[in-house]
Amino acid sequence: MSSVLFLVDHSGGKVAKAAAELATFAKSIGESIAVVFASNPAEIASQLNNISVDKVITATGDWDKYGPAAIADGLAQIIAAKKPNALLITSSAAGKEIAARVAVKTNSGIITDAVGVDKDLITTQSVFGGSTTVHSAVTTGTPVITLRANSIEPVATTSAAAVEEFSVSISDSAKLATITSATAAVKGGRPELTEASVVVSGGRGTNGDFKPVEELADALGAAVGASRAATDAGWYPHSHQVGQTGKTVSPQLYVAAGISGAIQHRAGMQTSKTIVAINKDPEAPILEIADFAVIGDLFNVLPQATEKIKARKA
Amino acid sequence: MKIAVCIKQVPDSWAEKKMAGGVLDRANVDAVLNDLDEYAVEEALRIVEANSPSKEAGEASGHTITLISMGPERATEAIRKALSMGADDAILISDPALAGSDALATSLVLSEVIKAGNYDLVICGTESTDARMSVVPAMIAERLSWAQLTFAGKVKVDPAAKTVEIERITEFGNQVMNAAFPAVLSVIEKINEPRYPSFKGIMAAKKKSITTMNLAQTNVAPSAVGASAAWSTVKDALPRPPRGAGVKLTDEGSGGEKLVEFLVEKRLA
Ligand SMILES: Cc1cc2nc3c(=O)[nH]c(=O)nc-3n(C[C@H](O)[C@H](O)[C@H](O)COP(=O)(O)OP(=O)(O)OC[C@H]3O[C@@H](n4cnc5c(N)ncnc54)[C@H](O)[C@@H]3O)c2cc1C
Ligand SMILES: Nc1ncnc2c1ncn2[C@@H]1O[C@H](COP(=O)(O)O)[C@@H](O)[C@H]1O
């Protein structure tokens, strides 16, 4: 039977939502094996009981000190021992770097930013502003595939998976760069941007006032995003920037308020399932990809929508 | 210090892109310097300027900036632009056998050329706007067994101690990372504001040397590069029907309510 390893993302002792999605992909291909790198892996492994995992491999080590290079070391060693049919990693900046190093170490092909992978390990990617769908396959080694968050509806299970401890040695070259201090991203009460199933974003059109954007986000249980114009102006933190040089999001619903839809912005949100735009300008490029657009002032449209949603829930 | 900056010529990201036979049709669109690589060039210039005695960048400072690019002959256009910003010279690896190379092959060729140059630092952009993989810098670091300091929002270099410190910006927060030379860096677009080439810079760039290498002059076997050596293959690339023309309505006082009706109908609210 095929087996598929996937890397469990976690931060602050909590497993990321994307882990359940990777587990679901892995399980649809074969035996689903979660790999946990942590200073206290038991704490992380215990959170994997209700997702599609057949087995958990844990590795204790100085991951917080050495970062992606060390984790890539560990994954390559586990691949050599377990000979899985594929490795799945979340398509984050760090995830892609880890994937890149594992591919080199194991002489394997790599596919990044997939939105799907089938049981024959054929991947689906959406490129050129979502205008083209590409199917690809790795032809050499152990396919290393990174998948975007929100690409699959996670399947829940109840079975507790067996945990195996694996001893990894970190190579000297992975110890060349050291992390001397870390500041965790400030987390509010809202969902994490890349994981959220609804994202409400504001741009230059907010003129610095994100209140209507945040209020609609809260009514929808959404994360808040921002265009680069808004983060550059200091209206919202850079960690919330959506786009080519910000985060890539792929939620069920993306609401763009006061955002023109420059190609660099679209690069980070074009795979959203439903796109809604609120813009004063009937010619704004975002309207070309919007499923629903209101041509109007966001300061009128957003508060009205927020009120209506609250009224429905009450 | 010897600094190398990896730059790539890419199709203009504003131009319409099409696939031709499983790969991006690069021949029929305008080509430009990958805009994310401009930040890498700028950061290299700032590192040199901050560590030079005279005001003239690089002059008598003993520091050099070499651009390294793998691509077709016409990539010299992008190279000239980066030279006119102030880099000293350039190496272009160009060979018909390299056409269709994937990131693994690209990183192999770049690493071999970097290895031969005795650099202290290699600076990359975070992503090429055509491949959009964000993997080449990490692959180079892995292949060379050099320190990897990527996604830098800040870079501090100490040439005397031969060390470099960066602030790494990630989705889970920021980290300070340290390493001794040699190291591979990538820089994010918040790090600086790339300069426009001055007239003087453009004139000077015309006299700067671009060394062109073919595959045989690198240490890389022809069997390791090109489309036939790629370790993944595209099965098909299908144009997706344009997103069904969406509903567009002008707000006449109830736009917000109409929006919610749409969301409810779609079971999104
Ligand atoms: C290398 C590089 C990387 C980049 N990376 C990113 C990135 O990651 N993410 C990103 O977003 N951008 C990125 N950009 C910038 C991008 O090109 C655009 O400049 C940016 O997205 C514009 O932001 P905006 O849509 O908020 O602003 P604008 O383009 O100024 O658009 C504002 C919109 O708001 C509308 N508006 C104004 N007032 C109102 C109102 N009261 N109600 C409703 N609508 C209103 C206007 O009609 C307009 O359409 C990058 C650029 C470069 C060169
Ligand atoms: N063909 C190339 N020649 C030189 N540098 C490259 C090339 N391809 C990628 N790079 C470098 O690697 C970075 C990341 O590219 P990528 O992994 O393709 O997204 C770019 O910003 C460049 O600095």
Short mmCIF file of all heavy atoms in Angstrom, two decimals, chain B residues 6-8 34 36-37 68-71 106 110 123-128 131-137, ligand 2:
data_model
loop_
_atom_site.label_atom_id
_atom_site.label_comp_id
_atom_site.label_asym_id
_atom_site.label_seq_id
_atom_site.Cartn_x
_atom_site.Cartn_y
_atom_site.Cartn_z
N CYS B 6 21.91 37.04 -7.57
CA CYS B 6 21.27 36.22 -8.61
C CYS B 6 20.07 36.97 -9.16
O CYS B 6 19.14 37.30 -8.42
CB CYS B 6 20.79 34.89 -8.02
SG CYS B 6 22.15 33.84 -7.54
N ILE B 7 20.11 37.24 -10.43
CA ILE B 7 18.99 37.96 -11.05
C ILE B 7 18.46 37.17 -12.24
O ILE B 7 19.19 36.42 -12.89
CB ILE B 7 19.38 39.39 -11.50
CG1 ILE B 7 20.46 39.36 -12.58
CG2 ILE B 7 19.85 40.22 -10.31
CD1 ILE B 7 20.65 40.68 -13.27
N LYS B 8 17.20 37.36 -12.51
CA LYS B 8 16.58 36.62 -13.59
C LYS B 8 15.80 37.58 -14.47
O LYS B 8 15.17 38.51 -13.97
CB LYS B 8 15.62 35.59 -12.99
CG LYS B 8 14.99 34.66 -14.01
CD LYS B 8 14.10 33.63 -13.34
CE LYS B 8 13.56 32.63 -14.34
NZ LYS B 8 12.61 31.70 -13.71
N ASN B 34 13.36 40.71 -13.23
CA ASN B 34 12.42 40.28 -12.19
C ASN B 34 12.39 41.37 -11.11
O ASN B 34 13.42 41.64 -10.49
CB ASN B 34 12.91 38.95 -11.60
CG ASN B 34 12.04 38.44 -10.47
OD1 ASN B 34 10.84 38.73 -10.42
ND2 ASN B 34 12.65 37.70 -9.55
N LEU B 36 11.46 41.61 -8.14
CA LEU B 36 11.89 41.26 -6.78
C LEU B 36 13.41 41.15 -6.68
O LEU B 36 13.97 41.23 -5.59
CB LEU B 36 11.22 39.97 -6.33
CG LEU B 36 9.70 40.10 -6.19
CD1 LEU B 36 9.07 38.78 -5.85
CD2 LEU B 36 9.34 41.15 -5.16
N ASP B 37 14.08 40.98 -7.81
CA ASP B 37 15.55 40.92 -7.79
C ASP B 37 16.17 42.32 -7.69
O ASP B 37 17.33 42.46 -7.31
CB ASP B 37 16.08 40.19 -9.02
CG ASP B 37 15.67 38.73 -9.04
OD1 ASP B 37 15.21 38.24 -7.98
OD2 ASP B 37 15.77 38.08 -10.09
N ILE B 68 24.77 37.31 -11.31
CA ILE B 68 24.79 35.99 -11.93
C ILE B 68 23.40 35.68 -12.43
O ILE B 68 22.41 35.81 -11.69
CB ILE B 68 25.25 34.90 -10.94
CG1 ILE B 68 26.67 35.23 -10.44
CG2 ILE B 68 25.22 33.52 -11.60
CD1 ILE B 68 27.22 34.22 -9.45
N SER B 69 23.30 35.33 -13.70
CA SER B 69 21.99 35.04 -14.26
C SER B 69 22.08 33.86 -15.21
O SER B 69 23.05 33.71 -15.94
CB SER B 69 21.47 36.27 -15.01
OG SER B 69 20.15 36.06 -15.42
N MET B 70 21.08 33.02 -15.16
CA MET B 70 20.99 31.94 -16.14
C MET B 70 19.77 32.23 -16.99
O MET B 70 18.68 32.46 -16.47
CB MET B 70 20.82 30.60 -15.41
CG MET B 70 20.53 29.45 -16.35
SD MET B 70 20.40 27.90 -15.42
CE MET B 70 18.91 27.26 -16.17
N GLY B 71 19.96 32.24 -18.30
CA GLY B 71 18.84 32.55 -19.17
C GLY B 71 19.29 32.72 -20.60
O GLY B 71 20.47 32.53 -20.91
N THR B 106 18.27 24.66 -12.43
CA THR B 106 18.70 26.06 -12.34
C THR B 106 19.59 26.25 -11.11
O THR B 106 20.67 26.86 -11.19
CB THR B 106 17.47 26.99 -12.23
OG1 THR B 106 16.63 26.77 -13.36
CG2 THR B 106 17.87 28.45 -12.17
N LEU B 110 23.53 27.45 -11.06
CA LEU B 110 23.92 28.65 -10.31
C LEU B 110 24.93 28.29 -9.21
O LEU B 110 25.91 29.00 -9.01
CB LEU B 110 22.68 29.33 -9.70
CG LEU B 110 21.69 29.94 -10.72
CD1 LEU B 110 20.43 30.44 -10.02
CD2 LEU B 110 22.34 31.09 -11.50
N ILE B 123 23.12 37.02 -2.78
CA ILE B 123 21.83 37.63 -2.46
C ILE B 123 20.85 37.37 -3.59
O ILE B 123 21.16 37.57 -4.77
CB ILE B 123 21.96 39.15 -2.20
CG1 ILE B 123 23.09 39.41 -1.18
CG2 ILE B 123 20.64 39.72 -1.69
CD1 ILE B 123 23.27 40.87 -0.80
N CYS B 124 19.67 36.87 -3.24
CA CYS B 124 18.62 36.57 -4.23
C CYS B 124 17.37 37.38 -3.91
O CYS B 124 17.21 37.89 -2.80
CB CYS B 124 18.23 35.09 -4.16
SG CYS B 124 19.54 33.93 -4.53
N GLY B 125 16.45 37.42 -4.87
CA GLY B 125 15.10 37.89 -4.58
C GLY B 125 14.36 36.75 -3.91
O GLY B 125 14.87 35.64 -3.78
N THR B 126 13.12 37.00 -3.46
CA THR B 126 12.39 35.90 -2.82
C THR B 126 11.66 35.03 -3.82
O THR B 126 11.27 33.92 -3.51
CB THR B 126 11.35 36.41 -1.81
OG1 THR B 126 10.65 37.49 -2.42
CG2 THR B 126 12.00 36.85 -0.53
N GLU B 127 11.46 35.54 -5.01
CA GLU B 127 10.63 34.78 -5.95
C GLU B 127 10.83 35.34 -7.34
O GLU B 127 10.98 36.54 -7.51
CB GLU B 127 9.16 34.96 -5.52
CG GLU B 127 8.15 34.23 -6.36
CD GLU B 127 6.74 34.37 -5.78
OE1 GLU B 127 6.45 33.75 -4.75
OE2 GLU B 127 5.95 35.11 -6.38
N SER B 128 10.82 34.48 -8.34
CA SER B 128 10.80 34.99 -9.71
C SER B 128 9.34 35.09 -10.12
O SER B 128 8.55 34.19 -9.83
CB SER B 128 11.60 34.09 -10.64
OG SER B 128 11.11 32.76 -10.59
N ALA B 131 8.29 31.89 -12.53
CA ALA B 131 8.23 30.54 -11.95
C ALA B 131 7.40 30.56 -10.66
O ALA B 131 6.67 29.62 -10.36
CB ALA B 131 9.63 30.01 -11.68
N ARG B 132 7.56 31.62 -9.88
CA ARG B 132 6.81 31.80 -8.64
C ARG B 132 6.94 30.62 -7.70
O ARG B 132 5.98 30.22 -7.07
CB ARG B 132 5.31 32.04 -8.94
CG ARG B 132 5.04 33.31 -9.72
CD ARG B 132 3.72 33.92 -9.34
NE ARG B 132 3.69 34.29 -7.95
CZ ARG B 132 2.61 34.27 -7.20
NH1 ARG B 132 1.47 33.85 -7.68
NH2 ARG B 132 2.67 34.65 -5.94
N MET B 133 8.13 30.05 -7.60
CA MET B 133 8.27 28.89 -6.73
C MET B 133 8.88 29.26 -5.39
O MET B 133 8.60 28.64 -4.39
CB MET B 133 9.11 27.81 -7.41
CG MET B 133 8.36 27.11 -8.52
SD MET B 133 9.34 25.78 -9.24
CE MET B 133 9.17 24.51 -7.98
N SER B 134 9.76 30.26 -5.39
CA SER B 134 10.40 30.66 -4.14
C SER B 134 11.25 29.54 -3.56
O SER B 134 11.22 29.29 -2.37
CB SER B 134 9.30 31.00 -3.12
OG SER B 134 9.38 32.30 -2.73
N VAL B 135 11.95 28.84 -4.41
CA VAL B 135 12.73 27.69 -3.94
C VAL B 135 14.21 27.77 -4.29
O VAL B 135 15.04 27.11 -3.66
CB VAL B 135 12.18 26.35 -4.50
CG1 VAL B 135 10.79 26.08 -3.94
CG2 VAL B 135 12.16 26.34 -6.02
N VAL B 136 14.56 28.56 -5.31
CA VAL B 136 15.95 28.55 -5.79
C VAL B 136 16.96 28.96 -4.71
O VAL B 136 17.98 28.29 -4.54
CB VAL B 136 16.08 29.39 -7.09
CG1 VAL B 136 17.54 29.67 -7.43
CG2 VAL B 136 15.39 28.68 -8.25
N PRO B 137 16.72 30.03 -3.91
CA PRO B 137 17.71 30.38 -2.89
C PRO B 137 17.97 29.24 -1.89
O PRO B 137 19.13 28.94 -1.57
CB PRO B 137 17.09 31.60 -2.19
CG PRO B 137 16.17 32.20 -3.22
CD PRO B 137 15.63 31.02 -3.99
N1 LIG C 2 17.57 31.65 -13.91
C1 LIG C 2 17.97 32.33 -12.83
N2 LIG C 2 19.11 33.06 -12.86
C2 LIG C 2 19.53 33.75 -11.76
N3 LIG C 2 18.85 33.79 -10.61
C3 LIG C 2 17.71 33.09 -10.52
C4 LIG C 2 17.20 32.32 -11.61
N4 LIG C 2 16.04 31.74 -11.21
C5 LIG C 2 15.83 32.14 -9.92
N5 LIG C 2 16.82 32.94 -9.49
C6 LIG C 2 16.96 33.59 -8.16
O1 LIG C 2 16.15 32.89 -7.23
C7 LIG C 2 15.11 33.72 -6.71
C8 LIG C 2 13.84 32.90 -6.47
O2 LIG C 2 13.35 32.37 -7.68
P1 LIG C 2 12.26 31.19 -7.80
O3 LIG C 2 12.67 30.11 -6.88
O4 LIG C 2 12.29 30.82 -9.26
O5 LIG C 2 10.92 31.80 -7.41
C9 LIG C 2 14.98 34.86 -7.71
O6 LIG C 2 14.47 36.03 -7.11
C10 LIG C 2 16.43 35.01 -8.19
O7 LIG C 2 17.19 35.79 -7.27
#
